[in-house]
Short mmCIF file of all heavy atoms in Angstrom, two decimals:
data_model
loop_
_atom_site.label_atom_id
_atom_site.label_comp_id
_atom_site.label_asym_id
_atom_site.label_seq_id
_atom_site.Cartn_x
_atom_site.Cartn_y
_atom_site.Cartn_z
N ASP A 1 111.38 116.61 99.19
CA ASP A 1 110.47 116.33 98.11
C ASP A 1 111.34 115.77 96.95
O ASP A 1 112.01 116.60 96.27
CB ASP A 1 109.72 117.57 97.58
CG ASP A 1 108.77 117.20 96.46
OD1 ASP A 1 108.46 116.15 96.14
OD2 ASP A 1 108.34 118.27 95.79
N VAL A 2 111.36 114.47 96.74
CA VAL A 2 112.19 113.87 95.63
C VAL A 2 111.29 113.57 94.49
O VAL A 2 110.41 112.71 94.54
CB VAL A 2 112.92 112.63 96.23
CG1 VAL A 2 113.68 111.97 95.01
CG2 VAL A 2 113.84 113.00 97.35
N ILE A 3 111.70 114.21 93.32
CA ILE A 3 110.95 113.95 92.13
C ILE A 3 111.84 113.05 91.24
O ILE A 3 112.92 113.37 90.78
CB ILE A 3 110.66 115.26 91.26
CG1 ILE A 3 109.85 116.22 92.19
CG2 ILE A 3 109.96 114.94 90.02
CD1 ILE A 3 109.56 117.52 91.55
N LYS A 4 111.38 111.72 91.12
CA LYS A 4 112.19 110.77 90.40
C LYS A 4 111.83 110.76 88.98
O LYS A 4 110.66 110.48 88.68
CB LYS A 4 111.90 109.39 91.01
CG LYS A 4 112.63 108.25 90.37
CD LYS A 4 112.45 106.97 91.16
CE LYS A 4 113.18 105.77 90.57
NZ LYS A 4 114.59 105.79 90.81
N ILE A 5 112.78 111.18 88.15
CA ILE A 5 112.50 111.11 86.70
C ILE A 5 112.75 109.74 86.22
O ILE A 5 114.03 109.26 86.26
CB ILE A 5 113.42 112.18 85.97
CG1 ILE A 5 113.18 113.62 86.72
CG2 ILE A 5 113.12 112.21 84.51
CD1 ILE A 5 111.79 114.19 86.51
N GLU A 6 111.89 109.10 85.57
CA GLU A 6 112.10 107.74 84.96
C GLU A 6 111.76 107.66 83.49
O GLU A 6 110.84 108.51 82.98
CB GLU A 6 111.24 106.74 85.67
CG GLU A 6 111.51 106.69 87.14
CD GLU A 6 110.63 105.54 87.77
OE1 GLU A 6 111.00 104.32 87.56
OE2 GLU A 6 109.71 105.84 88.52
N ASN A 7 112.46 106.86 82.75
CA ASN A 7 112.18 106.81 81.24
C ASN A 7 110.74 106.25 81.08
O ASN A 7 110.20 105.51 81.89
CB ASN A 7 113.27 105.92 80.52
CG ASN A 7 113.19 104.56 80.94
OD1 ASN A 7 112.33 103.83 80.64
ND2 ASN A 7 114.29 104.11 81.65
N THR A 8 110.26 106.59 79.87
CA THR A 8 108.85 106.11 79.62
C THR A 8 108.73 104.68 79.20
O THR A 8 107.63 104.11 79.19
CB THR A 8 108.28 107.01 78.46
OG1 THR A 8 109.14 107.01 77.34
CG2 THR A 8 108.13 108.43 78.91
N ALA A 9 109.87 104.10 78.85
CA ALA A 9 109.80 102.64 78.33
C ALA A 9 109.57 101.69 79.43
O ALA A 9 108.54 100.94 79.37
CB ALA A 9 111.17 102.26 77.66
N ALA A 10 110.26 101.74 80.47
CA ALA A 10 110.15 100.81 81.59
C ALA A 10 110.44 101.33 82.98
O ALA A 10 110.25 100.70 84.01
CB ALA A 10 111.03 99.53 81.31
N GLY A 11 111.02 102.50 82.98
CA GLY A 11 111.36 103.18 84.33
C GLY A 11 112.60 102.59 84.85
O GLY A 11 113.42 101.97 84.15
N ASP A 12 112.97 102.81 86.12
CA ASP A 12 114.03 102.24 86.78
C ASP A 12 114.20 100.79 86.57
O ASP A 12 113.18 100.00 86.70
CB ASP A 12 113.84 102.50 88.31
CG ASP A 12 115.19 102.39 89.06
OD1 ASP A 12 115.86 101.27 88.97
OD2 ASP A 12 115.51 103.15 89.99
N VAL A 13 115.48 100.38 86.32
CA VAL A 13 115.63 98.92 85.96
C VAL A 13 115.25 97.94 87.09
O VAL A 13 114.88 96.86 86.89
CB VAL A 13 117.05 98.62 85.46
CG1 VAL A 13 117.49 99.40 84.24
CG2 VAL A 13 118.05 98.92 86.67
N THR A 14 115.25 98.47 88.33
CA THR A 14 114.79 97.54 89.45
C THR A 14 113.35 97.34 89.39
O THR A 14 112.97 96.43 90.18
CB THR A 14 115.29 98.11 90.78
OG1 THR A 14 114.61 99.41 91.01
CG2 THR A 14 116.83 98.27 90.82
N ARG A 15 112.61 97.97 88.61
CA ARG A 15 111.16 97.59 88.52
C ARG A 15 111.03 96.31 87.70
O ARG A 15 109.87 95.66 87.91
CB ARG A 15 110.44 98.72 87.70
CG ARG A 15 110.13 100.09 88.40
CD ARG A 15 109.34 100.93 87.61
NE ARG A 15 109.15 102.32 88.13
CZ ARG A 15 108.22 102.59 89.01
NH1 ARG A 15 107.23 101.64 89.46
NH2 ARG A 15 108.04 103.84 89.50
N GLN A 16 112.05 95.75 87.10
CA GLN A 16 111.90 94.63 86.22
C GLN A 16 112.45 93.42 86.92
O GLN A 16 112.45 92.24 86.39
CB GLN A 16 112.67 94.86 84.90
CG GLN A 16 112.29 96.14 84.29
CD GLN A 16 110.83 96.47 84.05
OE1 GLN A 16 110.05 95.47 83.63
NE2 GLN A 16 110.41 97.64 84.38
N VAL A 17 113.08 93.49 88.13
CA VAL A 17 113.74 92.26 88.76
C VAL A 17 112.79 91.41 89.41
O VAL A 17 111.52 91.64 89.34
CB VAL A 17 114.86 92.69 89.67
CG1 VAL A 17 115.93 93.57 88.93
CG2 VAL A 17 114.30 93.51 90.87
N SER A 18 113.29 90.34 89.97
CA SER A 18 112.37 89.31 90.69
C SER A 18 112.01 89.78 92.11
O SER A 18 112.45 90.82 92.58
CB SER A 18 113.14 87.97 90.66
OG SER A 18 114.30 88.03 91.39
N THR A 19 111.26 88.89 92.80
CA THR A 19 110.72 89.05 94.13
C THR A 19 109.79 90.28 93.99
O THR A 19 110.11 91.43 94.27
CB THR A 19 111.83 89.44 95.13
OG1 THR A 19 112.84 88.37 95.07
CG2 THR A 19 111.22 89.32 96.59
N ARG A 20 108.57 89.93 93.53
CA ARG A 20 107.58 91.03 93.37
C ARG A 20 106.20 90.57 93.73
O ARG A 20 105.92 89.35 93.94
CB ARG A 20 107.49 91.33 91.79
CG ARG A 20 107.23 90.15 90.89
CD ARG A 20 107.05 90.56 89.40
NE ARG A 20 108.19 91.21 88.83
CZ ARG A 20 108.21 92.42 88.21
NH1 ARG A 20 107.03 93.06 88.16
NH2 ARG A 20 109.24 92.94 87.79
N ARG A 21 105.30 91.54 93.96
CA ARG A 21 103.91 91.29 94.19
C ARG A 21 103.14 92.51 93.67
O ARG A 21 103.60 93.67 93.83
CB ARG A 21 103.66 91.18 95.75
CG ARG A 21 102.22 90.84 95.99
CD ARG A 21 102.09 90.34 97.46
NE ARG A 21 102.21 91.43 98.40
CZ ARG A 21 102.24 91.44 99.73
NH1 ARG A 21 102.18 90.17 100.30
NH2 ARG A 21 102.49 92.44 100.44
N GLY A 22 102.08 92.15 93.01
CA GLY A 22 101.21 93.20 92.31
C GLY A 22 101.95 94.10 91.45
O GLY A 22 101.58 95.25 91.18
N GLY A 23 102.94 93.44 90.76
CA GLY A 23 103.67 94.24 89.74
C GLY A 23 104.79 95.08 90.33
O GLY A 23 105.48 95.71 89.54
N MET A 24 104.96 95.15 91.61
CA MET A 24 106.06 95.91 92.25
C MET A 24 107.10 95.06 92.80
O MET A 24 106.82 94.09 93.49
CB MET A 24 105.44 96.78 93.40
CG MET A 24 104.39 97.82 92.94
SD MET A 24 105.01 99.14 91.95
CE MET A 24 105.81 100.10 93.14
N THR A 25 108.38 95.35 92.60
CA THR A 25 109.46 94.50 93.13
C THR A 25 109.93 95.08 94.45
O THR A 25 109.76 96.24 94.82
CB THR A 25 110.68 94.52 92.17
OG1 THR A 25 111.37 95.85 92.15
CG2 THR A 25 110.30 94.17 90.68
N ALA A 26 110.46 94.12 95.24
CA ALA A 26 110.95 94.41 96.57
C ALA A 26 112.11 95.42 96.49
O ALA A 26 112.24 96.35 97.28
CB ALA A 26 111.34 93.23 97.26
N SER A 27 112.99 95.23 95.43
CA SER A 27 114.07 96.11 95.28
C SER A 27 113.63 97.52 95.03
O SER A 27 114.22 98.50 95.64
CB SER A 27 115.01 95.63 94.11
OG SER A 27 116.18 96.57 93.96
N PHE A 28 112.74 97.75 94.19
CA PHE A 28 112.27 99.07 93.92
C PHE A 28 111.63 99.69 95.08
O PHE A 28 111.85 100.82 95.51
CB PHE A 28 111.32 99.05 92.67
CG PHE A 28 110.89 100.47 92.32
CD1 PHE A 28 111.69 101.29 91.54
CD2 PHE A 28 109.57 101.06 92.66
CE1 PHE A 28 111.44 102.58 91.09
CE2 PHE A 28 109.33 102.41 92.34
CZ PHE A 28 110.18 103.06 91.52
#
């Protein structure tokens, strides 16, 4: 059970990279 703690501003930086669909990136 992995609880991923992310910052409230934008979360993991890989949420912001390219190659995405529906607001979700392939890297994340």
Side-chain angles (χ1 to χ4, degrees):
D1 176 20
V2 176
I3 300 174
K4 183 177 179 70
I5 307 295
E6 301 185 72
N7 67 69
T8 53
D12 191 314
V13 298
T14 61
R15 290 186 182 273
Q16 314 306 317
V17 300
S18 60
T19 311
R20 60 174 56 234
R21 187 169 68 188
M24 299 289 286
T25 69
S27 179
F28 185 82

